[in-house]
Amino acid sequence: ENALPSLKTLFASLEGCNLNDKAITLICACLEVEIDEGGAIVATVAGMGLKSSHVGAVLRNGAGDNVERHRWRKTDAGTYAIND
């Protein structure tokens, strides 16, 4: 919750970006502030005005272990993490 003001500021700065870029940027920002459970990521990003179904699809489709192709991965614990 403490990260919410900075995420809202980030969202406001994305005006003019397409929806996919907004979702990707906000998902990465969530992961950086340790919002890493799928439901919490979707709820946080959707709470800023994006459709939850779209955020969920971007989250699922963007997950993988190939660091050249995927920005994040789903861990064995079921949470998400940034690919290094």
Side-chain angles (χ1 to χ4, degrees):
E1 290 180 35
N2 294 337
L4 202 52
S6 62
L7 291 173
K8 286 182 178 180
T9 300
L10 175 61
F11 179 73
S13 76
L14 297 173
E15 187 176 339
C17 293
N18 69 50
L19 292 177
N20 286 332
D21 288 343
K22 287 180 182 182
I24 290 166
T25 301
L26 290 166
I27 290 167
C28 287
C30 283
L31 294 173
E32 289 176 7
V33 296
E34 299 179 4
I35 298 171
D36 59 1
E37 295 179 356
I41 294 168
V42 171
T44 300
V45 177
M48 294 182 203
L50 280 72
K51 289 185 179 180
S52 58
S53 59
H54 181 245
V55 177
V58 171
L59 181 62
R60 284 187 306 278
N61 294 332
D65 293 324
N66 182 344
V67 296
E68 293 181 8
R69 185 168 174 231
H70 303 104
R71 291 177 175 88
W72 54 81
R73 68 188 177 283
K74 192 164 187 179
T75 68
D76 292 339
T79 59
Y80 290 85
I82 293 284
N83 279 332
D84 296 326

